[in-house]
Amino acid sequence: MKALNHNLLSGVAAIAVLTVAQPALAQSADNEVSGGGNDGEIVVTARFKEETLQDVPQAISAFDERTLLKSAARDLTDLAPTTPNVSIQPVATFSNSAAIYIRGLGAQGIESTEESPVGVSIDGVYVTRPVATMLDTFDMERVEVLRGPQGTSFGKNSLAGGIATYSKNPSGNFGVEAMATAGNYGRLDARVAVDVPLIRDQLALRVVAGQESLGGYFRNRVNGQSIGGQDRFSVRGTLLFTPSESLSVNIKGWWLNDRSSAPGGDAAPDSTKLLAIVFGFQEPNDGAFTIGRDFPANHDTDQYGLIGTINAKMGAVNLTSITGYIKTDDFNDSDFDQSEKFFFPTFRVQSHRQFSQELRLATDFSEMDGMMSRVNLVLGGYYMKQSFEMSQAFPTLPVLLAPSLQFGSQDFVTQDNTAKALFAQGIFGLTDKLNITLGVRQSWEDKSYFRDPTGTLLSPAFFNTRSVVKSLEFMENLANTNFSAGKAFKDSYSRNRATFKAGIDYKINPDLMVYAGWSQGYKGGGYGARSASMVTAGPTADNTSELFEAGMKGDFLDGKLRLNLTGFVTKFKELEFGVFIPNPAVASGQETAQLNVGAATTKGIEFEASFKATDNLRLNANIGYLDSEYTDFCTDLNGPSASTTVPTSACGSVTKLVNGTYLVDEDYTHLKLVRAPKWTAQVGGEYTVPLGEAGDLTARVSMLYRSTWYSTVLNDVAGKTGNFALVDGSLGWESADGRFRAMIWGKNLTNKTWVSALTPTAQFFIQRFYGPPRTFGMTVGAKF
């Protein structure tokens, strides 16, 4: 497959070379900024209408194609440094999945029974599953990062924020874009986009293909091979039909084929864990990027997607229909103990499907006179159906706890989720300068959950091949049998909730706006994908958020200086986390409990500035301050414990389990929120040297600082990181006509070693992961 992908890209690249003699039909990069805008302004649609970034009265950052190229962005992780109070990293054990935190709240799980507090959308379709959300930024028209809860204007509700991505559409002219990158650690990326007009001014096609390859940052001390490499191929096609000025039909389809290996990590030293007690293993002191792995670690993902968007103008009303279908299949091997001991390997097979439909009616009264010309109304409905099945096989369980069995084991979980909503939003211009925004959303959600922790025993024990793993169909049939025998359990719920939004903004002058707003968000309660009983399975209560925000956006010094300032307070209730806890009553000796841990409040200030000091020198800075704390955190994080008498809890409840042990709630309000540094800051600059007809030469440098933060709910010391700076830089050339470019770039230039994630796994071991070391390379691109 890899050879086929490379051959395909080579063929498309050859087409690009043959078109050198063709006229330059593509627009220059300066005119390709997010669909328009004056002087390179980015146009966004965060409020269901096209408006410049500076006209949106809420905290939002946006990146257009040119911005992404400047920063040598490869995926969503490259957006976080320039966005205050935002953290985006790969999920520790799944490199193609994004762990996104906004203003101190997010998620780093990969279970489809759970939803992230931060939503991700692709061309208007909300992605309900965390896997395969680490989106490639090539051929993106723009990316919008919305900070704060999104209730009335972001597809499905989002508790803490959202990231909306929009791919480029056909231009209507013939054109080819090609980009290639070569770097250290075996990085080799190639991407090609081809625009083909089929019927002049009516039907056009755009096809995009990309191959991403990386050898991996880590070396396996067992065999000397690289670990954590990437092998990802994707293709996307967009068909745009515009039979008239009042009607457009846009159909996008894509296929992602990911055959990467699991990210590298090691076992953090801990003499109290079974990895040390039973196997006598301690991680050697041979550097962060030398690790041991004795088990296959292949992460295979296939994803298919189809999105249909219809826009119809009907006088003063615009109709928008967005239909989306996404199917994702995974088969992953993982060496969970992160050592060369055959202790805790796993196989994981799962299939996920989602269908969504959104309909919106938006008014356009711009041709009217008086106050009505300043009214913008949106009415809409949303429907989403999600279903998935997942089975996990353990080659060493339960043989580690009962050696006489000589079997491995495999379990099963499935869930269906249906979400419906009606929403409305109104923007009312009381005067030419003063606007009021009101929004409401009524949501209904149903979930059906089926968990079989018993599953089946697998033979032989200590197997290391996928051929032993049972299919999803087999495991679902077995789960039904086990349910009849009382060894599996089911549950479901139906809930509804209304969320509201209100805001006011005032234009002091055409270049300065002040605003204030209040909004609500929520995330439906979830179930535990790996729970052992209904006691720890959930469902959890709905998570809710309430945001109070005020700010200003201004351009000064004839547009040379831009200053944006935001202050906010967000109150979260019924926060939900999946937590590993010991449980001697189950075969693995531990389980993941899905828990509502309580409430939290985050307060902060966000400052964004850019300054065009001269025609050739540009400076920028963003600073985020975050004061976050749990106001209520009462739960059991230690697992079941025995007691001769019924214990008591000082803050919560006591739950008696079937084996006579107890879960006792304790107060943990002293803990810090995960990935919530008090300070984040980035400063940078770029200087351009005009070369006349030879183009421009631009040097760029940036420095990112984050203060101390924790990567685990329990604030494990081994997961404490931060309080350091990362430096990136580049030197780029662009031709005078914008058709050709080349850039030498480097990231983490000081080669800082830092812990990016930590996953304590009950009494077994602690998985520790690191951020990328120093990387560098060269990117070249051309447009014809």
Side-chain angles (χ1 to χ4, degrees):
M1 176 62 71
K2 185 174 181 179
L4 175 62
N5 295 343
H6 281 298
N7 290 338
L8 176 61
L9 285 173
S10 298
V12 178
I15 296 175
V17 175
L18 292 174
T19 57
V20 171
Q22 296 291 329
L25 297 175
Q27 296 175 308
S28 69
D30 283 329
N31 294 325
E32 289 183 344
V33 178
S34 299
N38 297 324
D39 300 324
E41 284 285 359
I42 299 178
V43 173
V44 297
T45 55
R47 298 196 298 169
F48 297 135
K49 56 182 285 190
E50 291 189 353
E51 51 192 341
T52 64
L53 189 65
Q54 288 298 96
D55 288 332
V56 181
Q58 65 187 66
I60 175 176
S61 300
F63 305 82
D64 58 31
E65 180 189 24
R66 191 166 181 82
T67 306
L68 296 171
L69 290 173
K70 283 182 179 182
S71 61
R74 192 187 196 204
D75 54 40
L76 292 184
T77 60
D78 294 306
L79 307 183
T82 54
T83 311
N85 288 328
V86 172
S87 169
I88 307 176
Q89 294 177 353
V91 173
T93 50
F94 294 83
S95 62
N96 67 355
S97 305
I100 307 172
Y101 284 73
I102 296 181
R103 293 177 173 175
L105 197 69
Q108 52 194 8
I110 43 82
E111 303 300 351
S112 294
T113 54
E114 309 163 22
E115 294 178 33
S116 172
V118 178
V120 175
S121 70
I122 302 174
D123 290 301
V125 173
Y126 184 95
V127 182
T128 64
R129 185 169 186 241
V131 173
T133 52
M134 190 58 76
L135 304 178
D136 178 9
T137 57
F138 176 69
D139 206 55
M140 286 287 186
E141 179 185 274
R142 72 181 185 279
V143 181
E144 302 175 10
V145 181
L146 298 87
R147 305 192 291 276
Q150 305 299 314
T152 61
S153 56
F154 191 75
K156 201 170 185 293
N157 271 286
S158 187
L159 188 69
I163 296 181
T165 65
Y166 298 91
S167 59
K168 294 174 69 174
N169 289 320
S171 65
N173 298 316
F174 179 79
V176 178
E177 299 177 39
M179 185 169 70
T181 297
N184 60 337
Y185 296 104
R187 176 175 172 180
L188 185 61
D189 301 341
R191 302 176 175 94
V192 177
V194 181
D195 261 338
V196 182
L198 301 177
I199 301 176
R200 184 177 179 84
D201 297 329
Q202 289 194 8
L203 188 64
L205 174 68
R206 184 176 181 87
V207 179
V208 182
Q211 172 74 47
E212 299 172 84
S213 301
L214 180 69
Y217 309 130
F218 298 83
R219 184 185 66 84
N220 190 350
R221 70 171 72 94
V222 175
N223 54 23
Q225 295 180 354
S226 297
I227 287 179
Q230 291 182 341
D231 179 9
R232 186 180 304 162
F233 176 76
S234 62
V235 61
R236 179 176 66 245
T238 303
L239 191 65
L240 179 61
F241 179 47
T242 53
S244 68
E245 292 184 357
S246 60
L247 178 64
S248 69
V249 180
N250 187 307
I251 300 175
K252 295 179 185 288
W254 74 89
W255 170 51
L256 169 70
N257 177 263
D258 194 338
R259 294 298 180 265
S260 302
S261 66
D266 63 14
D270 190 329
S271 59
T272 66
K273 302 298 183 182
L274 293 181
L275 185 59
I277 296 173
V278 176
F279 290 90
F281 179 83
Q282 287 286 344
E283 180 70 31
N285 187 21
D286 53 3
F289 296 97
T290 299
I291 63 177
R293 184 170 286 172
D294 65 330
F295 189 76
N298 303 308
H299 282 194
D300 299 347
T301 300
D302 290 288
Q303 185 179 83
Y304 308 85
L306 187 65
I307 298 174
T309 303
I310 300 174
N311 284 293
K313 295 181 179 179
M314 302 177 294
V317 177
N318 296 328
L319 169 67
T320 299
S321 169
I322 304 176
T323 308
Y325 176 79
I326 302 175
K327 185 178 189 296
T328 311
D329 295 314
D330 304 291
F331 205 146
N332 300 326
D333 321 324
S334 296
D335 190 4
F336 258 50
D337 55 274
Q338 302 295 338
S339 76
E340 47 267 52
K341 301 297 182 180
F342 202 82
F343 179 24
F344 204 97
T346 67
F347 291 97
R348 182 186 182 97
V349 57
Q350 54 188 336
S351 181
H352 179 277
R353 299 158 303 283
Q354 71 165 79
F355 169 83
S356 63
Q357 174 64 57
E358 183 171 349
L359 285 173
R360 296 197 304 266
L361 289 173
T363 62
D364 182 5
F365 297 150
S366 56
E367 300 298 323
M368 296 186 179
D369 297 326
M371 183 176 177
M372 286 302 296
S373 67
R374 300 191 298 269
V375 174
N376 181 273
L377 301 175
V378 177
L379 298 174
Y382 177 80
Y383 172 85
M384 187 274 293
K385 177 70 174 179
Q386 172 207 26
S387 61
F388 97 102
E389 303 85 35
M390 189 270 285
S391 184
Q392 196 158 254
F394 303 89
T396 61
L397 297 177
V399 67
L400 286 175
L401 301 177
S404 61
L405 288 178
Q406 287 298 303
F407 286 99
S409 63
Q410 185 172 348
D411 59 24
F412 177 79
V413 64
T414 182
Q415 178 178 282
D416 291 333
N417 180 17
T418 301
K420 305 172 187 176
L422 295 174
F423 56 89
Q425 177 182 274
I427 302 174
F428 306 94
L430 303 183
T431 70
D432 290 337
K433 296 182 177 181
L434 180 63
N435 299 289
I436 291 178
T437 301
L438 299 174
V440 61
R441 183 185 186 96
Q442 176 63 51
S443 301
W444 297 266
E445 190 150 11
D446 301 284
K447 290 186 179 181
S448 298
Y449 168 80
F450 183 16
R451 167 70 171 151
D452 179 13
T454 303
T456 184
L457 295 178
L458 298 174
S459 180
F462 303 108
F463 62 91
N464 60 6
T465 172
R466 292 182 175 183
S467 62
V468 180
V469 179
K470 304 296 185 183
S471 69
L472 288 172
E473 182 180 8
F474 176 92
M475 292 304 299
E476 185 165 17
N477 291 333
L478 179 62
N480 287 316
T481 300
N482 285 338
F483 178 75
S484 299
K487 299 177 181 179
F489 45 89
K490 297 181 179 181
D491 195 56
S492 63
Y493 74 67
S494 296
R495 298 175 181 172
N496 68 87
R497 183 175 293 272
T499 52
F500 301 90
K501 174 183 180 179
I504 185 171
D505 62 271
Y506 181 74
K507 282 273 191 178
I508 296 176
N509 59 54
D511 296 321
L512 180 61
M513 175 181 68
V514 293
Y515 65 90
W518 166 80
S519 62
Q520 295 177 315
Y522 97 97
K523 180 178 75 70
Y527 288 95
R530 299 192 300 272
S531 58
S533 69
M534 281 306 303
V535 174
T536 51
T540 57
D542 290 348
N543 304 195
T544 63
S545 59
E546 187 174 28
L547 168 70
F548 301 88
E549 184 176 88
M552 59 82 68
K553 294 185 175 184
D555 291 329
F556 308 91
L557 304 178
D558 293 327
K560 294 181 179 180
L561 176 64
R562 172 165 292 180
L563 300 176
N564 293 344
L565 181 66
T566 306
F568 65 90
V569 177
T570 310
K571 297 184 177 182
F572 300 99
K573 294 181 180 179
E574 298 293 352
L575 286 178
E576 172 189 340
F577 294 109
V579 182
F580 282 113
I581 63 172
N583 188 350
V586 300
S588 65
Q590 61 87 32
E591 64 173 310
T592 302
Q594 205 64 20
L595 305 170
N596 286 114
V597 301
T601 297
T602 63
K603 298 174 285 187
I605 298 174
E606 294 161 351
F607 174 74
E608 298 170 281
S610 62
F611 179 48
K612 186 178 180 180
T614 69
D615 288 341
N616 300 327
L617 177 62
R618 296 173 182 266
L619 306 173
N620 61 79
N622 74 75
I623 301 172
Y625 170 76
L626 184 66
D627 178 14
S628 59
E629 63 176 354
Y630 290 107
T631 55
D632 179 21
F633 192 162
C634 181
T635 191
D636 185 294
L637 298 179
N638 299 317
S641 58
S643 178
T644 55
T645 59
V646 179
T648 59
S649 169
C651 66
S653 61
V654 175
T655 303
K656 185 177 181 179
L657 303 182
V658 292
N659 62 350
T661 59
Y662 297 89
L663 294 174
V664 182
D665 291 345
E666 299 179 58
D667 184 12
Y668 290 97
T669 52
H670 63 280
L671 296 176
K672 304 294 184 182
L673 273 70
V674 175
R675 298 181 188 270
K678 186 175 288 290
W679 290 98
T680 61
Q682 190 206 45
V683 294
E686 63 175 67
Y687 186 79
T688 300
V689 179
L691 303 176
E693 294 183 357
D696 294 327
L697 190 67
T698 302
R700 302 180 182 88
V701 65
S702 65
M703 182 182 70
L704 170 67
Y705 170 81
R706 287 192 179 100
S707 60
T708 302
W709 52 273
Y710 291 91
S711 59
T712 64
V713 175
L714 286 177
N715 294 176
D716 297 86
V717 175
K720 183 179 180 180
T721 187
N723 196 29
F724 58 80
L726 299 176
V727 180
D728 298 344
S730 67
L731 180 64
W733 167 84
E734 186 175 32
S735 64
D737 59 8
R739 292 172 58 186
F740 302 97
R741 66 181 186 276
M743 180 170 63
I744 299 172
W745 52 266
K747 299 186 178 185
N748 188 9
L749 291 174
T750 61
N751 203 27
K752 174 67 179 179
T753 298
W754 56 286
V755 175
S756 63
L758 195 79
T759 306
T761 307
Q763 76 272 35
F764 291 157
F765 43 78
I766 300 177
Q767 302 177 71
R768 181 173 55 184
F769 300 87
Y770 297 91
R774 177 168 50 226
T775 57
F776 53 86
M778 182 175 185
T779 298
V780 295
K783 297 181 180 181
F784 307 103

